[in-house]
Amino acid sequence: MRNIWVYVVGGMVAIGAIVSIKGVIGDNESSQSAARKPTATATANAATAKVEAPKPDASFDKVELTKDDFVLGKEAAPVTLVEYASLTCPHCAQFHQNTLPAVKKEYIETGKVKLVYRDFPLDQLALSGSMIARCAGRDRYFAFIDVMFAQQATWARDTNPLAALSRIARLGGMSQAKFDECIKDKKVADAVVQQRLDGDKKFGINATPTVIINGKRYSGGLTIEQLRAVVDQLLK
């Protein structure tokens, strides 16, 4: 979970120097001793172990959707999953790479869940990324979000992250002129920031990712097993 640090965004979007995000990635062990390898029985038991649904840390009577929301899935889906995320949050990237693919296949594509993605930028670079996704248009919005999370370790840690972000935009069909125009668009910036402020004020969002499933808030995101446990209860 990445904690929120408060920042103030006002006037035109600052396009100055942005400090690149640096992280340390530990090396994976290349091999394990035979004695440490799990048995076939242990592996099977782990795969079939029932995961209990986690308890939400807050509940809300109603989470209204607006015309400005970006929604993936059928409008009539019985379960609504609202995700608050920041494009520079490593845990958000893990959620999008490790959990959401299964959610899309099992629940969204089958009409059981609709996903509402809401911006909660933690820094200027995340704000810029959110702006670019919006400028790409509704038809390409989720494709841009997916690519930014998938390549987060590359563009967010680049010595010139805005240039790296512009390369992603161009690969997605956005011209450099459109990118430059978008990144300076105060109206787009204000819309992203307002969504963040609303999330804080209305739902007490203080970590990313945070998901709200049919009014129940789970801060820090959920594993696919936990999410299945929560959603399957609602579908009974």
Side-chain angles (χ1 to χ4, degrees):
M1 181 189 309
R2 184 172 178 181
N3 293 328
I4 302 303
W5 53 271
V6 180
Y7 69 99
V8 178
V9 177
M12 293 297 290
V13 180
I15 310 298
I18 299 174
V19 179
S20 62
I21 302 170
K22 296 183 179 180
V24 178
I25 303 175
D27 293 331
N28 293 325
E29 293 183 356
S30 59
S31 62
Q32 294 180 322
S33 64
R36 293 174 58 190
K37 291 183 178 179
T39 64
T41 300
T43 301
N45 289 340
T48 58
K50 183 176 177 61
V51 175
E52 292 187 4
K55 295 184 181 301
D57 52 26
S59 298
F60 306 94
D61 292 335
K62 195 172 186 180
V63 180
E64 294 184 353
L65 305 189
T66 73
K67 62 180 179 61
D68 296 323
D69 274 318
F70 292 90
V71 183
L72 190 64
K74 296 181 179 179
E75 183 179 353
V79 176
T80 300
L81 190 162
V82 179
E83 177 195 4
Y84 282 92
S86 171
L87 288 170
T88 53
C89 161
H91 285 85
C92 298
Q94 291 174 14
F95 183 76
H96 272 253
Q97 292 178 277
N98 301 330
T99 302
L100 274 186
V103 173
K104 290 177 181 178
K105 181 178 180 181
E106 297 174 27
Y107 298 107
I108 296 177
E109 293 174 4
T110 56
K112 300 173 182 176
V113 171
K114 61 176 173 285
L115 169 69
V116 182
Y117 181 89
R118 290 180 175 173
D119 291 303
F120 200 86
L122 299 178
D123 50 42
Q124 178 67 37
L125 185 55
L127 172 62
S128 298
S130 295
M131 293 169 65
I132 294 306
R134 290 181 180 226
C135 289
R138 287 190 171 271
D139 291 344
R140 294 186 292 173
Y141 178 81
F142 279 103
F144 267 66
I145 293 294
D146 288 344
V147 170
M148 286 186 209
F149 275 128
Q151 299 185 15
Q152 183 193 87
T154 300
W155 68 269
R157 293 186 174 95
D158 195 276
T159 54
N160 189 342
L162 274 184
L165 196 57
S166 72
R167 290 193 291 272
I168 291 177
R170 290 199 302 275
L171 287 173
M174 182 181 293
S175 68
Q176 184 64 47
K178 176 67 174 177
F179 177 89
D180 294 338
E181 177 186 353
C182 177
I183 213 69
K184 297 175 183 177
D185 193 323
K186 183 179 183 297
K187 184 177 180 180
V188 177
D190 287 346
V192 174
V193 172
Q194 188 60 54
Q195 193 165 74
R196 181 193 191 281
L197 295 175
D198 288 343
D200 183 14
K201 181 179 180 180
K202 295 179 180 179
F203 306 113
I205 307 299
N206 59 17
T208 58
T210 288
V211 295
I212 302 176
I213 305 175
N214 278 14
K216 308 295 184 182
R217 189 187 71 193
Y218 302 87
S219 299
L222 299 173
T223 65
I224 183 56
E225 293 80 12
Q226 291 174 322
L227 199 144
R228 284 189 186 115
V230 172
V231 172
D232 289 347
Q233 282 185 345
L234 297 172
L235 293 173
K236 288 181 180 179

